[in-house]
Amino acid sequence: MELRLRGVGHSYGARAVLRGIDIDIPAGQIVCIVGPSGCGKSTLLRMMGGLEEPDLGEVLQVGQAPEDCLNPLTYIFQDFALLPWRTVAGNVSLVLEDHGVKGADARAMIEDVLKRTRLSDFADALPRQLSGGMKQRVAIARALVVNPAVMLMDEPLSALDSQTRELLMDDLISLWTRTPFTAVYVTHNLAEAVRLGHRIVVLSRRPGEVREVVTLEKPLEARAYGDADLEVQQKHLWELMRAEAAAADAELIGG
Amino acid sequence: MDNPVKKVVFRGGGFAPVTRRWVGFIVFLVLLLAVEWGTRTGVISPLTLPKPSDVLQTFAELYSSGLLFQHLLPSLSRLAVGAALGASLGIGVGLLMGLFSFIRAGLVPLVAAIFPIPKIALLPLFVIWFGIDEGSKYALIAFGTFTPTVVATYAAVDNVDRTLIRMGQSFGLSWLSIVRKIVLPGAMPGILAGLRISLAIAIILLVAAEMLGAEYGIGAYILEAGSLYDLERLFAGVVILSVLGVLVSAVIGAIEKRVLNWRS
């Protein structure tokens, strides 16, 4: 399944946040969206998953989601959004219960997904007992268990320290190389974008417009921390964004 | 030249809560002993305060004559029925107000209007509406517990983390599932905190409820002792109410420990 955005625009009151956005999310690829703060990239992601409605334009779903897909458009949130009163297994089970998966089937699916995210030993732990990185791995497990057609990731690593971020990036890459998934990855971190993105969409400052789309040919599994060619790409992205980010930073909040 | 070497002085102490288990008990004991000493030596006149030992003796008599339970049981049943009615109705209405903006808009002013009414003032009215026997007593206690429970519940629903609700919607959970699995457990800490207050109010109202048409009951016992200026019996009754309050609070503490064990 693919996602297609056509002429998406949005404003909050008199303030335009997004203008004329056209983006294609091809199946089996990770598309990163980067931009200065306040450029509407998280709003854009909420629209892709139907949590918000655009004022202008449309978000289209092209093709059918696979048969075994329980929740085609599935989010991973920056702040994890785990239920603190449920265990790791309980949090994963939450999203199965409503789709009628219960009993032995559910147990098998939960066991499998916890194994894939290396959380099997923590099935009965409560979120408060887990570190930030572990919490986000639970959220990733919860997203994987519904077999999403498109994963929508809203700054999933921004709440984590830089070492944990590296570890989780490796996890995401190995998950993707095992079974390629389609994803939109919103971030303000350019290093994450060049590690994980097949395509990187650069948005301008508010009102957000597409400034450039960078395509990276190097396969994900060949990319590593501190690669020279990735550094070059990252530098190019930063040059694109630098002036925008400085201008966005100097704006009054709510002004 | 030698630079002087000095140890850095520790200045980070205090301002951190520490559990000190027995201090509360000791304060209580010291106060009681002071009153006992004062009444014995005559520093405190017998008209001002009864001797704690006399109150204890009155209590022992009350227990050995079997009158204690004759008073306690009807009061406990009034408290249980009234508070259960008021609290469950309050939680129900509070949830509806938290979930539906129409219901909230309609009921917030009404709740604000009935909250400050001293429920005791309505007792004669309740006697006419619900009868002089148990009905009016249940109604008074229920009404008194209802309003604080409503306010606590809808505030608790407001405080449920919105990102968790968005998460539920993004995974395609049904409305009912979101309420049952996200809103209700998320509001639980606030609801239980509210119950602590509502149940204390229920105990206060127990005395008021037994002002009219009650032969037995802790409230009736206290009121009778008061009108006869029998301080020993008055205080024996008051102690029973205090113990009741401590017990109720301990029960809610135990429930919190069980239900809210997910909090650190």
Side-chain angles (χ1 to χ4, degrees), chain A residues 18 42 101 112 129 146-148 157 161 167 188 209 219 230 247:
Chain A
L18 288 168
S42 290
V101 186
D112 171 62
Q129 299 171 296
V146 293
N147 288 315
L157 309 183
D161 63 76
L167 292 174
H188 64 261
E209 290 173 296
L230 294 184

Side-chain angles (χ1 to χ4, degrees), chain A residues 94-251:
Chain A
L94 172 82
V95 298
L96 292 177
E97 290 160 14
D98 261 54
H99 296 286
V101 186
K102 292 197 174 80
D105 282 353
R107 270 199 300 280
M109 283 171 85
I110 294 168
E111 207 170 296
D112 171 62
V113 84
L114 291 184
K115 204 195 267 165
R116 267 153 71 201
T117 44
R118 292 181 286 117
L119 286 165
S120 300
D121 294 342
F122 305 95
D124 297 321
L126 285 168
R128 72 171 150 89
Q129 299 171 296
L130 303 176
S131 67
M134 294 279 275
K135 281 184 198 159
Q136 196 55 292
R137 267 164 50 200
V138 177
I140 292 170
R142 179 179 64 186
L144 289 174
V145 83
V146 293
N147 288 315
V150 182
M151 291 242 253
L152 303 168
M153 308 198 235
D154 186 9
E155 307 232 11
L157 309 183
S158 296
L160 307 174
D161 63 76
S162 58
Q163 288 106 18
T164 315
R165 204 178 296 165
E166 285 300 326
L167 292 174
L168 267 161
M169 266 196 267
D170 291 344
D171 282 358
L172 284 174
I173 290 173
S174 78
L175 282 169
W176 188 89
T177 36
R178 235 178 303 159
T179 28
F181 51 83
T182 314
V184 184
Y185 189 106
V186 164
T187 184
H188 64 261
N189 186 316
L190 299 178
E192 283 171 31
V194 296
R195 282 288 293 286
L196 295 171
H198 294 97
R199 258 183 221 199
I200 300 167
V201 177
V202 183
L203 294 186
S204 67
R205 80 186 146 107
R206 197 175 51 228
E209 290 173 296
V210 177
R211 276 210 54 185
E212 192 170 323
V213 180
V214 178
T215 309
L216 300 183
E217 300 298 344
K218 194 173 183 182
L220 285 195
E221 59 274 24
R223 302 181 195 178
Y225 177 75
D227 275 1
D229 47 340
L230 294 184
E231 294 277 332
V232 173
Q233 291 289 355
Q234 195 180 328
K235 208 166 166 201
H236 169 65
L237 289 172
W238 174 233
E239 274 154 15
L240 278 176
M241 274 177 60
R242 189 185 174 104
E244 302 277 350
D249 187 50
E251 273 175 33

Side-chain angles (χ1 to χ4, degrees), chain A residues 71 84-85 97-99 128, chain B residues 170-171 174 177 181 185 261-262:
Chain A
N71 189 49
W85 49 85
E97 290 160 14
D98 261 54
H99 296 286
R128 72 171 150 89
Chain B
S170 81
F171 276 97
S174 67
S177 284
K181 296 172 184 170
N261 69 337
W262 49 271

Side-chain angles (χ1 to χ4, degrees), chain A residues 46 51 71 73-75 77 79-86 91 94-95 97-99 126 128 139 142-143 146, chain B residues 160-161 163-164 166-175 177-178 181-183 185-187 259 261-264:
Chain A
R46 281 203 294 279
L51 288 182
N71 189 49
L73 303 170
T74 296
Y75 282 92
F77 298 93
D79 52 6
F80 325 128
L82 299 177
L83 301 185
W85 49 85
R86 285 200 179 214
N91 266 288
L94 172 82
V95 298
E97 290 160 14
D98 261 54
H99 296 286
L126 285 168
R128 72 171 150 89
R142 179 179 64 186
V146 293
Chain B
V160 174
D161 192 347
T163 59
L164 293 183
R166 287 281 167 278
M167 182 278 293
Q169 291 176 320
S170 81
F171 276 97
L173 267 60
S174 67
W175 184 87
S177 284
I178 291 177
K181 296 172 184 170
I182 300 177
V183 175
V259 179
N261 69 337
W262 49 271
R263 291 196 304 189
S264 44

